[in-house]
Amino acid sequence: MTSHDAIIIGTGQAGPALADRLSRAGQRVAVIERARFGGTCVNTGCIPTKTMVASAYAARMARRAADYGVILPGPPRVDMKQVKARKDAVSGKSRVGVESWVRGLENSTVIQGHARLTGPRTVQVGDETLTAERIFLNVGGRAAVPPMPGIGDVPFLTNSTMMDLDTLPEHLVIVGGSYIGLEFGQMFRRFGSDVTIIEQGPRLIGREDEDVSATIAGFLEKEGITIRTNATCMSVARQGDGVAVTVDCTAGAPVVTGSHLLLAVGRRPNTQDLGLEAAGVAMDGKGYITVDDTLQTSVPGIWALGDCNGRGAFTHTAYNDFEIVAANLLDGDNRRVSDRIPAYALYTDPPLGRAGMTEAEARRSGRRILVAKRPMTRVGRAVEKGETEGFMKVVVDAGTRQILGAAILGTGGDEVVHGLLDLMTAKAPYDVLQRSMPIHPTVSELLPTLLGSLEPAS
């Protein structure tokens, strides 16, 4: 048995940063990783997918070159092997960087293998037993596979195995019309695949406002993506070398046949076979580790960070988990999960930047609210770039004059939304931003103008 001050299981976004802080504080740290360093973001999530999104954007712009007065000798061709090679290189460099960082930490020992808790202070990795007064779980999540009739009889892809493709699907059928499904759908349509997105609900990305959902559906359909909603009775079966998906929709053919099937219906935590029961760590009905506002589990001395705690499903929420834990343990700073404002992006083109409440959530809250909305056709920078799909929307509390939420669906939306998010974090009234002097020409310069058009919600 080897003794440490802290054991960190998993090297996603929270684990390595926490190992760095703890080791620099003089604590003896053991870092355990069962597979590839860097977690989902580095290996199968943010970095590889956004690298491929960039390739898809380049293909789209090449096809539109004539719109900008640029004449190419012929139509562009996408080489999927080169797309994959570029993605692998970017992702691989990041993975090597994380591993080198962790292995180079003072007071830190890296162990590779599958970790299991055998008690509230002990962890087993192979034949080795480790003990520590503090244990941090950063084990991440993976794609969920729905209990769809026939799913065990057909080949299918997930967000992880999509990363292995170096050939172009003839017809990619995507089950799941939410964030992951929409990003892959647009990406592969731009690479040249026929794409059908099948969504069980009445509209895409049901957690967003209806105007956001409708606008995204509109520009995806303009690019030739087929969208099937209200698919309430799905099943799958082999059909030749491909797969047939039976749907029950209000319109359209009852069966969609494709060459490849991608399941994009959500995530589940990697908490099975982690020995949580042996340590007495509580989980909810979906397998997420139950944590309090400081991310401590039901067992004192054990924390859960990142996707496995169900308190966020993004790289930035995982890193913020690290910041909260480090602040409370090392800095004497009383930080809480409940203090943070929900924020995320959908990386379609154009992207959606989101912060705080949706308009629907604000209405349901019972507050008196003000709402402003501006189409991207009235944003000069968007017109100059020839990218005018989408709109900007902000929701404000009429009493406090503080911003409750924002949706920036348009070119640069994933960056522009931070101007509003910063104001929300500062709890400043929206008037503060109105008095700023933004740079012209930018998309962000229209934020003060947008706020100047606030009106009571009807």
Side-chain angles (χ1 to χ4, degrees), residues 294-340:
T294 64
L295 300 166
Q296 190 157 206
T297 70
S298 59
V299 177
I302 300 180
W303 289 259
L305 302 85
D307 293 5
C308 67
N309 64 26
R311 301 297 291 270
F314 305 101
T315 293
H316 53 277
T317 53
Y319 191 82
N320 186 243
D321 284 356
F322 144 68
E323 293 177 316
I324 290 169
V325 170
N328 283 284
L329 290 181
L330 301 174
D331 302 331
D333 188 357
N334 185 27
R335 294 184 63 173
R336 297 289 185 268
V337 176
S338 56
D339 291 335
R340 67 190 181 199

Side-chain angles (χ1 to χ4, degrees), residues 244-303:
V245 182
T246 301
V247 296
D248 182 11
C249 301
T250 56
V255 177
V256 177
T257 303
S259 60
H260 294 69
L261 173 65
L262 168 63
L263 300 180
V265 293
R267 308 278 291 171
R268 58 179 298 188
N270 290 327
T271 53
Q272 84 294 347
D273 201 21
L274 188 57
L276 297 176
E277 298 85 355
V281 175
M283 295 178 285
D284 67 14
K286 295 182 179 180
Y288 290 100
I289 299 171
T290 304
V291 294
D292 65 14
D293 214 17
T294 64
L295 300 166
Q296 190 157 206
T297 70
S298 59
V299 177
I302 300 180
W303 289 259

Side-chain angles (χ1 to χ4, degrees), residues 185-442:
Q186 187 182 50
M187 181 195 308
F188 275 86
R189 178 59 186 152
R190 290 180 170 189
F191 289 150
S193 297
D194 287 335
V195 174
T196 299
I197 297 174
I198 301 173
E199 167 57 37
Q200 189 176 45
R203 59 186 177 89
L204 300 181
I205 46 174
R207 67 183 288 179
E208 303 297 342
D209 285 328
E210 290 190 19
D211 53 357
V212 171
S213 175
T215 301
I216 291 173
F219 65 66
L220 292 179
E221 288 176 328
K222 283 182 184 178
E223 293 192 34
I225 294 174
T226 300
I227 297 172
R228 301 289 302 276
T229 55
N230 293 303
T232 56
C233 188
M234 280 183 282
S235 64
V236 294
R238 283 184 178 270
Q239 182 156 321
D241 294 332
V243 61
V245 182
T246 301
V247 296
D248 182 11
C249 301
T250 56
V255 177
V256 177
T257 303
S259 60
H260 294 69
L261 173 65
L262 168 63
L263 300 180
V265 293
R267 308 278 291 171
R268 58 179 298 188
N270 290 327
T271 53
Q272 84 294 347
D273 201 21
L274 188 57
L276 297 176
E277 298 85 355
V281 175
M283 295 178 285
D284 67 14
K286 295 182 179 180
Y288 290 100
I289 299 171
T290 304
V291 294
D292 65 14
D293 214 17
T294 64
L295 300 166
Q296 190 157 206
T297 70
S298 59
V299 177
I302 300 180
W303 289 259
L305 302 85
D307 293 5
C308 67
N309 64 26
R311 301 297 291 270
F314 305 101
T315 293
H316 53 277
T317 53
Y319 191 82
N320 186 243
D321 284 356
F322 144 68
E323 293 177 316
I324 290 169
V325 170
N328 283 284
L329 290 181
L330 301 174
D331 302 331
D333 188 357
N334 185 27
R335 294 184 63 173
R336 297 289 185 268
V337 176
S338 56
D339 291 335
R340 67 190 181 199
I341 298 168
Y344 53 88
L346 165 65
Y347 291 94
T348 50
D349 175 30
L352 167 67
R354 280 274 293 107
M357 295 181 176
T358 63
E359 181 182 348
E361 288 171 336
R363 288 176 181 273
R364 289 195 297 268
S365 73
R367 295 175 171 88
R368 289 189 303 112
I369 62 172
L370 307 174
V371 180
K373 186 173 177 180
R374 188 179 188 89
M376 297 303 288
T377 52
R378 294 179 58 203
V379 176
R381 189 75 180 107
V383 174
E384 294 154 9
K385 294 176 69 177
E387 299 178 358
T388 56
E389 296 282 2
F391 58 86
M392 303 193 298
K393 181 168 67 170
V394 65
V395 181
V396 168
D397 186 307
T400 66
R401 301 176 72 80
Q402 292 181 4
I403 297 173
L404 297 175
I408 311 298
L409 176 57
T411 181
D414 52 327
E415 295 285 354
V416 174
V417 75
H418 286 91
L420 298 169
L421 180 59
D422 291 344
L423 203 67
M424 295 166 70
T425 302
K427 295 182 170 56
Y430 74 86
D431 316 64
V432 171
L433 185 56
Q434 280 189 292
R435 295 170 182 170
S436 69
M437 185 185 70
I439 297 168
H440 173 80
T442 61

Side-chain angles (χ1 to χ4, degrees), residues 4 28-32 102 105-111 128 130:
H4 305 266
R28 292 169 293 115
V29 182
V31 180
I32 305 169
V102 176
L105 297 176
E106 293 185 11
N107 305 314
S108 178
T109 301
V110 174
I111 301 168
E128 185 174 0
L130 299 82

